[in-house]
Amino acid sequence: TLEQRLADTRADRADIARLVRELAACLSAAHLGGVVHRDIKPSNIMIRTAQAGSGRVEPVDATSRRETPTPLLGPDEQLVVGDFGLARALGLTDLTVAGGTDGFMAPEQRTPSTSVDERADIYAATAVVAQAWTGSISSEVVDRLGSSDDPVDRALARGLAEDRDERPADATEWERELLASLGDPDPTDGSGSRGPRPPARVEAPETPRASRLSTRATAAAAVAGLGVAVIVAAILIVLTRDSGDDEAAATETVDAETADGADANTGSTAQRVDEIAAFGGDWSTSGSDIVTSNGQPIRIRGVNWFGFESDLAVAHGLWARNHRDLVALIAELGFNTIRIPFSSSMLDPDTMPVDISYELNPDLEGLTSLEVLDEIVDDAGRNGLAVILDRHALGADDRAPLWYDDDYPAERMIEDWELLATRYRDRPNVIGADLYNAPHGTACWGCGDPERDWRLAAEATGDAIHRIAPGWLIFVAGVERPSDTTCGVGEGQEPCAWRGADVGGAIADPVRLTVSEAKVVYATQDYGSSVFEQPWFDDPSFPSNMPAIWDRWWGELEATDAAPVLLSGFGTVLDGETNEAWLGALLAYVDERDVDFAFWALNPNSDDTGGLLEADWFTVDEDKMDFLRRFLDGPFR
């Protein structure tokens, strides 16, 4: 156990950083599963080690004494949080009995009938780290931490705050603060924490974000290969793929699954492959339709697969599944397009992906993030899937209101797209560029101010792309409000659109490209109340009030045959009548007007919407698919 190891070893800063990372991932895995542990302490944290070449794990021999007192954990060792005997479901927060262990028990656990949440585990985990850092968790040590000027001591003191509202809100925030205080002495171990969630803005509800839970939390719940797992009631709950003797069998399984999936969907997949080969790379618009080079109307029925825009700099889920397997699944579910968000920073030539299981994806080992994107684009082509590239962020997870900032100047957007157009112009399944995901804040449409006018920026960027890839569609998002107007949720105020959702200005002031205006598709977004409680959800006439709202912001472009619209992101957590009613009404509206769409998202780790897959990255959310399935029939027509 960690208790036994700490008796032998005095942890240094690198040890503490490793301990924080692994504990954070364990906590996130439990909390993601809806469980608060309530009794985390060194004796409940076990150490296990992998047998060389097998991928299997064995307990460390507690009777053996280590020759070297440091590091606290060897490179082949991992932590396992066990003994969930006092665990409590997060949804059942009232305790009937006090519980926990002195020194590690959060103050709120001392009183029966008091609610507990993730922050009780944050307190206990901090006490574990404090013991490793100071050698003790006595009240004197806690008092000293609270009065110290040392950054690590201050971070520990916050985690041990009596008032839980003063503690970090979750394991990711806790991990980030402690690593920052330590100076993150070993940032190259491939376990970087998730970035901070941008602050909420009342006047401009944010589009869904990737989960603030560490992405390694999902991995811990799904695959043992990342070195973190959770034991519940002494039963190891880890879905593991063994390597070594079983490695070839695992590879064969993945290949067989992919082949079986292709066979199961042979007709539509083969037809999509043929259509892309014949017409891909040169689609245009005609009125409100997207058409192939021979004038055949088509309809994009896509799904977003995010991750390249995040601090992992790669599509999420590759810690749990093979990339070809996931792309094949998208085709099997009936989608014909993948919309792939990315960040400008991901395009830097030295950017390397994080949190890929190279056991499951051996062909990706050593590749840069951009080279992994190459592989996924090619996977999509083999499955007859079109690809829309989406400049979703500037830096990792940095969804700035404008398409530039101090670190990424305005010309960087053109440079990014020139790079991608050059790289993918000969891939017929790459059909276009979604220039910037969701301009908002001071971004305007047609106001004439070159620093704020998104329409002008879109025209310049679209023209730059077409000088290299003249066949690409140019997807142009909207803004959040009409030019030089205010919006909000106050009395008498006009509600704001979702960020980037208002493309209504394009009716009077469309994007005009030099090569051809018949290459412009307008992109919008819409979400359920799980993302933000918009005022229209409380309208007594909801959901009958929604078509008029959609007409105003984007539907009129389709209704007047002015231009096609891509609903580039829509999704929700199906947690009540409101969201079900919203999704049903939206899909009926989209179907009536033949609007192109890309569901948000494949990923399960979207905070506000969830995804089409459950946390294990294998189980399909059939409730969501029940809504979508009837709109996915057919290849591109």
Side-chain angles (χ1 to χ4, degrees):
T1 66
L2 182 64
E3 182 179 50
Q4 293 166 315
R5 182 61 59 79
L6 287 172
D8 295 343
T9 306
R10 179 63 185 271
D12 62 15
R13 297 178 81 88
D15 290 328
I16 296 298
R18 174 88 182 276
L19 179 61
V20 167
R21 288 189 181 97
E22 296 221 352
L23 278 178
C26 288
L27 293 185
S28 293
H31 298 163
L32 183 66
V35 174
V36 58
H37 188 286
R38 295 179 58 213
D39 195 27
I40 290 173
K41 55 189 176 184
S43 61
N44 282 346
I45 300 171
M46 287 156 278
I47 299 170
R48 66 183 191 176
T49 185
Q51 293 179 340
S54 74
R56 296 184 178 87
V57 291
E58 298 293 339
V60 173
D61 183 359
T63 63
S64 64
R65 311 299 284 184
R66 300 191 335 146
E67 296 289 333
T68 305
T70 57
L72 183 65
L73 294 174
D76 62 340
E77 293 178 339
Q78 60 185 191
L79 294 185
V80 179
V81 174
D83 194 356
F84 275 66
L86 286 178
R88 188 73 170 173
L90 285 170
L92 305 174
T93 52
D94 291 339
L95 301 179
T96 56
V97 295
T101 300
D102 285 342
F104 301 94
M105 179 170 55
E108 61 267 24
Q109 291 179 241
R110 300 180 183 277
T111 305
S113 302
T114 300
S115 65
V116 297
D117 59 21
E118 297 98 324
R119 292 169 293 182
D121 286 348
I122 296 297
Y123 183 99
T126 307
V128 170
V129 175
Q131 181 173 349
W133 176 245
T134 66
S136 171
I137 193 56
S138 65
S139 58
E140 291 80 7
V141 168
V142 174
D143 291 341
R144 181 182 65 78
L145 294 174
S147 59
S148 173
D149 291 329
D150 181 84
V152 179
D153 290 348
R154 289 201 304 270
L156 291 170
R158 184 174 178 228
L160 293 170
E162 288 283 317
D163 183 351
R164 63 183 174 186
D165 288 338
E166 296 179 5
R167 297 175 210 148
D170 59 25
T172 300
E173 183 178 343
W174 177 78
E175 176 190 24
R176 186 174 64 246
E177 291 188 4
L178 275 171
L179 291 181
S181 73
L182 288 160
D184 200 3
D186 184 19
T188 62
D189 68 348
S191 59
S193 63
R194 304 285 301 133
R197 176 190 257 174
R201 298 176 63 248
V202 171
E203 77 281 9
E206 191 168 2
T207 51
R209 299 171 293 265
S211 175
R212 293 182 69 220
L213 293 173
S214 168
T215 54
R216 299 189 317 285
T218 306
V223 180
L226 290 181
V228 185
V230 175
I231 291 182
V232 180
I235 300 175
L236 185 61
I237 309 293
V238 176
L239 302 177
T240 179
R241 288 178 179 266
D242 291 337
S243 59
D245 295 339
D246 297 332
E247 184 173 0
T251 303
E252 290 170 4
T253 299
V254 170
D255 292 342
E257 288 171 355
T258 303
D260 289 346
D263 289 343
N265 201 34
T266 298
S268 57
T269 298
Q271 190 172 349
R272 285 196 302 262
V273 171
D274 290 344
E275 288 179 342
I276 285 178
F279 309 119
D282 191 18
W283 293 355
S284 300
T285 68
S286 176
S288 59
D289 290 328
I290 298 174
V291 297
T292 64
S293 57
N294 68 347
Q296 173 67 49
I298 59 174
R299 188 178 186 189
I300 292 171
R301 301 178 179 92
V303 65
N304 287 269
W305 183 11
F306 66 78
F308 281 103
E309 84 293 351
S310 74
D311 57 356
L312 301 189
V314 73
H316 288 182
L318 301 185
W319 55 77
R321 294 191 73 170
N322 177 273
H323 61 98
R324 295 189 184 93
D325 188 16
L326 279 166
V327 173
L329 175 63
I330 291 171
E332 291 162 22
L333 289 174
F335 296 97
N336 62 24
T337 302
I338 310 176
R339 183 173 181 259
I340 302 180
F342 67 89
S343 68
S344 285
S345 59
M346 188 279 291
L347 302 179
D348 292 339
D350 57 349
T351 301
M352 298 299 293
V354 178
D355 272 2
I356 294 177
S357 168
Y358 294 116
E359 200 173 331
L360 298 173
N361 297 277
D363 57 317
L364 302 185
E365 189 164 9
L367 300 187
T368 66
S369 293
L370 192 52
E371 288 168 338
V372 175
L373 179 59
D374 294 342
E375 295 298 316
I376 290 177
V377 166
D378 289 343
D379 292 341
R382 285 188 288 269
N383 283 274
L385 296 171
V387 169
I388 298 171
L389 300 172
D390 158 41
R391 188 176 187 257
H392 205 82
L394 302 182
D397 287 321
D398 177 17
R399 298 168 180 83
L402 299 176
W403 50 98
Y404 64 91
D405 63 11
D406 292 341
D407 295 322
Y408 297 87
E411 57 268 23
R412 175 65 185 262
M413 180 165 69
I414 292 179
E415 293 169 1
D416 289 347
W417 283 116
E418 287 176 335
L419 182 155
L420 292 171
T422 302
R423 194 176 191 94
Y424 296 122
R425 62 186 170 190
D426 295 325
R427 258 73 158 210
N429 66 312
V430 179
I431 63 170
D434 195 334
L435 301 183
Y436 189 59
N437 179 62
H440 57 279
T442 59
C444 65
W445 188 282
C447 66
D449 182 347
E451 295 186 354
R452 300 190 299 123
D453 194 332
W454 169 233
R455 183 189 64 82
L456 292 179
E459 288 177 346
T461 307
D463 282 342
I465 291 171
H466 278 164
R467 284 191 286 270
I468 300 169
W472 277 20
L473 294 172
I474 305 299
F475 296 86
V476 182
V479 293
E480 71 177 2
R481 66 189 70 178
S483 300
D484 301 320
T485 64
T486 60
C487 61
V489 296
E491 185 176 352
Q493 285 188 295
E494 179 74 11
C496 298
W498 297 104
R499 292 182 176 182
D502 188 351
V503 292
I507 293 175
D509 203 1
V511 171
R512 298 175 176 87
L513 299 180
T514 302
V515 169
S516 173
E517 294 180 24
K519 291 287 187 180
V520 178
V521 179
Y522 294 97
T524 187
Q525 303 184 37
D526 206 82
Y527 293 96
S529 63
S530 63
V531 175
F532 188 81
E533 282 286 350
Q534 295 278 20
W536 47 80
F537 295 123
D538 295 325
D539 190 304
S541 64
F542 176 83
S544 300
N545 60 322
M546 297 307 301
I549 294 171
W550 296 323
D551 283 344
R552 181 169 73 251
W553 285 332
W554 47 273
E556 192 175 345
L557 284 165
E558 288 271 355
T560 60
D561 208 32
V565 172
L566 172 71
L567 184 58
S568 60
F570 69 103
T572 186
V573 174
L574 298 178
D575 58 358
E577 292 183 4
T578 297
N579 287 319
E580 278 82 348
W582 164 82
L583 184 55
L586 178 63
L587 287 171
Y589 182 93
V590 164
D591 190 50
E592 179 185 346
R593 289 159 176 76
D594 285 332
V595 176
D596 300 87
F597 62 82
F599 187 76
W600 187 276
L602 179 72
N603 308 49
N605 56 322
S606 176
D607 269 351
D608 308 313
T609 67
L612 290 178
L613 297 181
E614 302 290 356
D616 61 4
W617 284 87
F618 282 83
T619 306
V620 175
D621 186 331
E622 290 298 336
D623 290 336
K624 288 185 177 177
M625 284 304 301
D626 284 346
F627 275 93
L628 294 170
R629 193 169 280 112
R630 70 187 183 91
F631 302 102
L632 300 178
D633 58 330
F636 283 100
R637 291 189 288 276

